[in-house]
Amino acid sequence: MLNLPIYLDHAATTPLHEAALAEMLPYFSREFANPAAIYTAGAECREAVERAREVIADQIGARPEEVYFTGGGTEADNWALKGLATKPRERRHILVSSIEHSAVLEPARALIEQGFDVELLPVDSQGTVDPNEVDSRIQPNTLLVSVMHANNEVGTLQPVAEIGRICREKDVVFHSDAVQGFCKAPLNVNELNVDLMSISGHKIYGPKGVGALYVRRGVRLGAFMEGGEQERGKRGGTLNVPGIVGFAKAAEVASADQFEESERQSRLRNRLIDSVQSSIPNARLNGHREARLTNNAHFCFEGVEGEPLLLALDMAGVYASAGSACHAGSTEPSHVLMAMGLSVETARGALRLTIGRSTTEEAVDYTVERLCEIVHNLRKLSSSATFA
Ligand code: PLP
């Protein structure tokens, strides 16, 4: 039986996994002690945090002391850029891809005010950064390169390992925002050649408001938050113990069936893409056809505006988005689609459908059927408005 509504916005957030919730609950009540406290209850909370750190470190092939808990992906991204810039630096040049999440683009912009020279890396029409572009744009005074692992709107996977190899050869710090890719496929910081990597809890069926920044040993990063000795004095503030243990549990659960679940989701994603493209004329798939997140399908429909499309889908019981959740309600076309060379008109008709653990074949087929009718009706309306 088909259960409505159908949630196809897993890139925006995911529901909390029941195992993560069960892991968190005692830390809201019985195990409430401050993990910095010296007595037994404090030590127990501290141990829970350190166990969680080991789990997260293990997932990404890092050492536990290289994992710093944060208040989510946005904080991890901000810290990567600003933390690097707060140390006295000879180097003032920063390369950032033009399709980054605003959690990277905005701090990069703020660094311009501080005298840094920030250069945007272009992408091709599928949203891929060319490693040769990175190579040719690195200067002797380049401090940092930041290229995301997978784009949150169009789902394109970046050649992160190759870009990281170039950065390493040229002695440039490399940051990657892996918020979307974490737990969808194995992510190993050594194979990816990253020095800094951001991840977040609520995209992997963990709690919201918790994430982590991986900081390779030897990278000089300034503190993000002063005022406490937590996180080795780099991120002061009483630790979010329930959030941290829930985050680690969610990562553990995801890794247990990562391969099977990614295979299942990519089959559904392909079914979705193929049936949209065969049943709706002039449906454009955005992003790379193969090198894309296993759960992401992103389209533009010629002659259709995004907002009425999303509202009509909502009325039909399908929850989707135009792209980044952070820009919901914005009338500006997506900077990602603009960087990929789409026209403003085309970009305004964007639809992102992101699959998750609960998505079924039936749900995909229902969505495509409704989408077909909605696009047809909206096109009819707009052509009658044009000729009225
Ligand atoms: N980076 C990317 C690529 C994202 O998709 C998101 C969330 O949408 C973030 C960063 C921000 O993460 P958080 O919501 O945990 O602050």
PDB file of all heavy atoms in Angstrom, residues 11-12 72-75 77 101 103 148 150 152 177 179-180 200 202-203 326, ligand 1:
ATOM      1  N   ALA A  11      17.943  15.055   0.958  1.00  0.00           N
ATOM      2  CA  ALA A  11      19.160  15.875   0.952  1.00  0.00           C
ATOM      3  C   ALA A  11      19.002  17.060   1.909  1.00  0.00           C
ATOM      4  O   ALA A  11      19.987  17.634   2.367  1.00  0.00           O
ATOM      5  CB  ALA A  11      19.462  16.370  -0.457  1.00  0.00           C
ATOM      6  N   ALA A  12      17.743  17.432   2.184  1.00  0.00           N
ATOM      7  CA  ALA A  12      17.510  18.549   3.117  1.00  0.00           C
ATOM      8  C   ALA A  12      17.691  18.069   4.545  1.00  0.00           C
ATOM      9  O   ALA A  12      18.379  18.699   5.346  1.00  0.00           O
ATOM     10  CB  ALA A  12      16.102  19.106   2.922  1.00  0.00           C
ATOM     11  N   GLY A  72      27.189  21.058  13.637  1.00  0.00           N
ATOM     12  CA  GLY A  72      26.627  20.733  12.319  1.00  0.00           C
ATOM     13  C   GLY A  72      27.598  21.021  11.182  1.00  0.00           C
ATOM     14  O   GLY A  72      28.760  21.407  11.412  1.00  0.00           O
ATOM     15  N   GLY A  73      27.102  20.828   9.971  1.00  0.00           N
ATOM     16  CA  GLY A  73      27.933  20.995   8.782  1.00  0.00           C
ATOM     17  C   GLY A  73      28.308  22.452   8.520  1.00  0.00           C
ATOM     18  O   GLY A  73      29.435  22.750   8.114  1.00  0.00           O
ATOM     19  N   THR A  74      27.364  23.350   8.763  1.00  0.00           N
ATOM     20  CA  THR A  74      27.636  24.773   8.512  1.00  0.00           C
ATOM     21  C   THR A  74      28.793  25.241   9.388  1.00  0.00           C
ATOM     22  O   THR A  74      29.708  25.935   8.925  1.00  0.00           O
ATOM     23  CB  THR A  74      26.365  25.608   8.804  1.00  0.00           C
ATOM     24  OG1 THR A  74      25.303  25.102   7.989  1.00  0.00           O
ATOM     25  CG2 THR A  74      26.578  27.074   8.526  1.00  0.00           C
ATOM     26  N   GLU A  75      28.756  24.839  10.651  1.00  0.00           N
ATOM     27  CA  GLU A  75      29.828  25.237  11.568  1.00  0.00           C
ATOM     28  C   GLU A  75      31.168  24.624  11.134  1.00  0.00           C
ATOM     29  O   GLU A  75      32.207  25.303  11.155  1.00  0.00           O
ATOM     30  CB  GLU A  75      29.491  24.809  13.002  1.00  0.00           C
ATOM     31  CG  GLU A  75      30.534  25.303  13.980  1.00  0.00           C
ATOM     32  CD  GLU A  75      30.271  24.835  15.413  1.00  0.00           C
ATOM     33  OE1 GLU A  75      29.126  24.957  15.879  1.00  0.00           O
ATOM     34  OE2 GLU A  75      31.230  24.371  16.040  1.00  0.00           O
ATOM     35  N   ASP A  77      32.129  23.812   8.148  1.00  0.00           N
ATOM     36  CA  ASP A  77      32.615  24.532   6.965  1.00  0.00           C
ATOM     37  C   ASP A  77      33.183  25.901   7.342  1.00  0.00           C
ATOM     38  O   ASP A  77      34.259  26.294   6.891  1.00  0.00           O
ATOM     39  CB  ASP A  77      31.459  24.738   5.961  1.00  0.00           C
ATOM     40  CG  ASP A  77      31.132  23.465   5.181  1.00  0.00           C
ATOM     41  OD1 ASP A  77      31.964  22.538   5.172  1.00  0.00           O
ATOM     42  OD2 ASP A  77      30.040  23.405   4.589  1.00  0.00           O
ATOM     43  N   HIS A 101      28.247  24.910  -1.169  1.00  0.00           N
ATOM     44  CA  HIS A 101      27.133  25.316  -0.305  1.00  0.00           C
ATOM     45  C   HIS A 101      27.465  26.699   0.257  1.00  0.00           C
ATOM     46  O   HIS A 101      28.643  27.044   0.403  1.00  0.00           O
ATOM     47  CB  HIS A 101      27.029  24.286   0.833  1.00  0.00           C
ATOM     48  CG  HIS A 101      25.801  24.413   1.663  1.00  0.00           C
ATOM     49  ND1 HIS A 101      25.711  25.276   2.727  1.00  0.00           N
ATOM     50  CD2 HIS A 101      24.614  23.777   1.598  1.00  0.00           C
ATOM     51  CE1 HIS A 101      24.524  25.162   3.284  1.00  0.00           C
ATOM     52  NE2 HIS A 101      23.824  24.259   2.618  1.00  0.00           N
ATOM     53  N   ALA A 103      27.513  27.602   3.125  1.00  0.00           N
ATOM     54  CA  ALA A 103      28.292  27.467   4.359  1.00  0.00           C
ATOM     55  C   ALA A 103      29.794  27.565   4.079  1.00  0.00           C
ATOM     56  O   ALA A 103      30.584  27.804   4.993  1.00  0.00           O
ATOM     57  CB  ALA A 103      27.982  26.135   5.037  1.00  0.00           C
ATOM     58  N   MET A 148      33.785  20.644  -2.693  1.00  0.00           N
ATOM     59  CA  MET A 148      32.898  19.707  -1.999  1.00  0.00           C
ATOM     60  C   MET A 148      32.980  18.295  -2.581  1.00  0.00           C
ATOM     61  O   MET A 148      33.319  18.116  -3.755  1.00  0.00           O
ATOM     62  CB  MET A 148      31.468  20.225  -2.006  1.00  0.00           C
ATOM     63  CG  MET A 148      30.799  20.200  -3.347  1.00  0.00           C
ATOM     64  SD  MET A 148      29.411  21.389  -3.517  1.00  0.00           S
ATOM     65  CE  MET A 148      28.524  21.240  -2.004  1.00  0.00           C
ATOM     66  N   ALA A 150      30.309  16.084  -2.811  1.00  0.00           N
ATOM     67  CA  ALA A 150      29.135  15.893  -3.674  1.00  0.00           C
ATOM     68  C   ALA A 150      28.265  17.133  -3.555  1.00  0.00           C
ATOM     69  O   ALA A 150      28.074  17.651  -2.451  1.00  0.00           O
ATOM     70  CB  ALA A 150      28.337  14.669  -3.233  1.00  0.00           C
ATOM     71  N   ASN A 152      25.102  19.393  -3.207  1.00  0.00           N
ATOM     72  CA  ASN A 152      23.825  19.176  -2.527  1.00  0.00           C
ATOM     73  C   ASN A 152      22.621  19.420  -3.423  1.00  0.00           C
ATOM     74  O   ASN A 152      21.530  18.945  -3.143  1.00  0.00           O
ATOM     75  CB  ASN A 152      23.727  20.060  -1.280  1.00  0.00           C
ATOM     76  CG  ASN A 152      24.053  21.501  -1.562  1.00  0.00           C
ATOM     77  OD1 ASN A 152      25.135  21.815  -2.023  1.00  0.00           O
ATOM     78  ND2 ASN A 152      23.114  22.377  -1.307  1.00  0.00           N
ATOM     79  N   ASP A 177      33.830  19.574   1.709  1.00  0.00           N
ATOM     80  CA  ASP A 177      32.550  19.499   2.402  1.00  0.00           C
ATOM     81  C   ASP A 177      31.901  18.180   1.964  1.00  0.00           C
ATOM     82  O   ASP A 177      31.452  18.047   0.826  1.00  0.00           O
ATOM     83  CB  ASP A 177      31.703  20.713   1.990  1.00  0.00           C
ATOM     84  CG  ASP A 177      30.282  20.656   2.511  1.00  0.00           C
ATOM     85  OD1 ASP A 177      29.819  19.560   2.902  1.00  0.00           O
ATOM     86  OD2 ASP A 177      29.609  21.702   2.510  1.00  0.00           O
ATOM     87  N   VAL A 179      29.308  16.714   3.515  1.00  0.00           N
ATOM     88  CA  VAL A 179      28.036  16.590   4.228  1.00  0.00           C
ATOM     89  C   VAL A 179      27.062  15.676   3.485  1.00  0.00           C
ATOM     90  O   VAL A 179      26.377  14.857   4.088  1.00  0.00           O
ATOM     91  CB  VAL A 179      27.430  17.996   4.480  1.00  0.00           C
ATOM     92  CG1 VAL A 179      25.959  17.912   4.880  1.00  0.00           C
ATOM     93  CG2 VAL A 179      28.235  18.734   5.545  1.00  0.00           C
ATOM     94  N   GLN A 180      27.011  15.798   2.161  1.00  0.00           N
ATOM     95  CA  GLN A 180      26.018  15.001   1.413  1.00  0.00           C
ATOM     96  C   GLN A 180      26.466  13.569   1.160  1.00  0.00           C
ATOM     97  O   GLN A 180      25.644  12.669   1.065  1.00  0.00           O
ATOM     98  CB  GLN A 180      25.671  15.683   0.084  1.00  0.00           C
ATOM     99  CG  GLN A 180      24.834  16.949   0.247  1.00  0.00           C
ATOM    100  CD  GLN A 180      23.413  16.671   0.733  1.00  0.00           C
ATOM    101  OE1 GLN A 180      22.887  15.570   0.604  1.00  0.00           O
ATOM    102  NE2 GLN A 180      22.776  17.686   1.308  1.00  0.00           N
ATOM    103  N   SER A 200      27.954  15.962   8.721  1.00  0.00           N
ATOM    104  CA  SER A 200      26.820  16.431   9.523  1.00  0.00           C
ATOM    105  C   SER A 200      25.905  15.265   9.904  1.00  0.00           C
ATOM    106  O   SER A 200      25.759  14.309   9.134  1.00  0.00           O
ATOM    107  CB  SER A 200      26.032  17.459   8.704  1.00  0.00           C
ATOM    108  OG  SER A 200      24.853  17.827   9.364  1.00  0.00           O
ATOM    109  N   HIS A 202      22.433  15.212  10.619  1.00  0.00           N
ATOM    110  CA  HIS A 202      21.023  15.057  10.222  1.00  0.00           C
ATOM    111  C   HIS A 202      20.821  14.622   8.779  1.00  0.00           C
ATOM    112  O   HIS A 202      19.684  14.398   8.361  1.00  0.00           O
ATOM    113  CB  HIS A 202      20.226  16.335  10.536  1.00  0.00           C
ATOM    114  CG  HIS A 202      20.514  17.495   9.643  1.00  0.00           C
ATOM    115  ND1 HIS A 202      19.599  17.952   8.732  1.00  0.00           N
ATOM    116  CD2 HIS A 202      21.586  18.292   9.519  1.00  0.00           C
ATOM    117  CE1 HIS A 202      20.102  19.002   8.104  1.00  0.00           C
ATOM    118  NE2 HIS A 202      21.317  19.225   8.571  1.00  0.00           N
ATOM    119  N   LYS A 203      21.915  14.468   8.014  1.00  0.00           N
ATOM    120  CA  LYS A 203      21.770  13.955   6.650  1.00  0.00           C
ATOM    121  C   LYS A 203      21.899  12.434   6.646  1.00  0.00           C
ATOM    122  O   LYS A 203      21.721  11.797   5.621  1.00  0.00           O
ATOM    123  CB  LYS A 203      22.840  14.549   5.726  1.00  0.00           C
ATOM    124  CG  LYS A 203      23.000  16.052   5.800  1.00  0.00           C
ATOM    125  CD  LYS A 203      21.865  16.800   5.161  1.00  0.00           C
ATOM    126  CE  LYS A 203      22.162  18.300   5.207  1.00  0.00           C
ATOM    127  NZ  LYS A 203      21.116  19.098   4.600  1.00  0.00           N
ATOM    128  N   CYS A 326      18.404  25.575   2.224  1.00  0.00           N
ATOM    129  CA  CYS A 326      18.746  26.864   2.829  1.00  0.00           C
ATOM    130  C   CYS A 326      18.217  28.021   1.999  1.00  0.00           C
ATOM    131  O   CYS A 326      18.132  29.133   2.463  1.00  0.00           O
ATOM    132  CB  CYS A 326      20.250  27.008   2.960  1.00  0.00           C
ATOM    133  SG  CYS A 326      20.970  25.575   3.697  1.00  0.00           S
TER     134      CYS A 326
HETATM  135  N1  PLP B   1      27.117  21.506   3.246  1.00  0.00           N
HETATM  136  C1  PLP B   1      26.279  20.864   2.429  1.00  0.00           C
HETATM  137  C2  PLP B   1      26.786  20.333   1.126  1.00  0.00           C
HETATM  138  C3  PLP B   1      24.946  20.701   2.778  1.00  0.00           C
HETATM  139  O1  PLP B   1      24.107  20.078   1.948  1.00  0.00           O
HETATM  140  C4  PLP B   1      24.496  21.231   4.009  1.00  0.00           C
HETATM  141  C5  PLP B   1      23.071  21.144   4.395  1.00  0.00           C
HETATM  142  O2  PLP B   1      22.195  21.212   3.595  1.00  0.00           O
HETATM  143  C6  PLP B   1      25.431  21.875   4.838  1.00  0.00           C
HETATM  144  C7  PLP B   1      26.726  21.994   4.422  1.00  0.00           C
HETATM  145  C8  PLP B   1      25.028  22.416   6.173  1.00  0.00           C
HETATM  146  O3  PLP B   1      24.935  21.400   7.121  1.00  0.00           O
HETATM  147  P1  PLP B   1      24.064  21.615   8.456  1.00  0.00           P
HETATM  148  O4  PLP B   1      22.632  21.645   8.037  1.00  0.00           O
HETATM  149  O5  PLP B   1      24.411  20.442   9.304  1.00  0.00           O
HETATM  150  O6  PLP B   1      24.523  22.891   9.066  1.00  0.00           O
END
